[in-house]
Amino acid sequence: EVHVVESGGGSVQSGGSLRLSCEVSGYTRKKACVGWFRQAPGREREEVTSREEVASIDSHDTTTVADSMKGRFTISRDDAKNTLYLQTNSLKPEDTGMYYCAADAPRCVTSEYKYWGQGTQVTVSS
């Protein structure tokens, strides 16, 4: 059974940083996408496909970061630890939301991810 567990969220002031971690267990890395997504406050009950893609690593290990987060967020992975990371710097209040990790998608498309975590909350105050 595959488990996806995020951690590292918290409350910070504008301009602060957080390092989110996502440990994936029971899963053998395949040539597939892994990624981070976020959902704005009040939208937690909406469908998975409404989540905003933050960053991803595709089957060729190419990283992609959403335009609004480029230069501030960095995605990385440590295969020895089965862990995906999201380093978030220069956080803004609009970055507030629930951050989700997802694994195993043939393409880096939200609807194709097979495994999702429960999310970790990030709150940025001005």
Side-chain angles (χ1 to χ4, degrees):
E1 186 177 357
V2 177
H3 293 278
V4 180
V5 180
E6 303 96 335
S7 62
S11 296
V12 297
Q13 291 191 327
S14 183
S17 300
L18 288 170
R19 188 193 195 201
L20 308 185
S21 299
C22 169
E23 184 174 354
V24 183
S25 59
Y27 174 75
T28 300
R29 182 194 174 190
K30 310 172 187 177
K31 286 194 176 293
C33 289
V34 289
W36 286 96
F37 296 77
R38 72 182 181 193
Q39 199 139 29
R43 302 186 66 183
E44 292 82 1
R45 294 184 180 273
E46 295 187 10
E47 293 182 0
V48 165
T49 51
S50 70
R51 295 173 181 174
E52 176 187 14
E53 181 175 330
V54 173
S56 63
I57 304 177
D58 70 13
S59 58
H60 301 288
D61 290 331
T62 300
T63 61
T64 300
V65 178
D67 287 343
S68 64
M69 300 158 220
K70 281 181 180 176
R72 300 189 298 123
F73 290 11
T74 303
I75 187 172
S76 62
R77 69 194 303 169
D78 183 336
D79 287 339
K81 295 182 179 179
N82 291 325
T83 301
L84 184 69
Y85 300 100
L86 183 70
Q87 178 66 45
T88 66
N89 298 326
S90 302
L91 284 162
K92 305 174 182 179
E94 53 262 44
D95 293 319
T96 293
M98 186 69 78
Y99 283 68
Y100 296 92
C101 175
D104 197 4
R107 299 178 299 163
C108 295
V109 175
T110 310
S111 60
E112 295 189 9
Y113 282 89
K114 188 173 182 179
Y115 305 110
W116 290 85
Q118 294 300 305
T120 185
Q121 178 68 37
V122 171
T123 303
V124 185
S125 57
S126 57

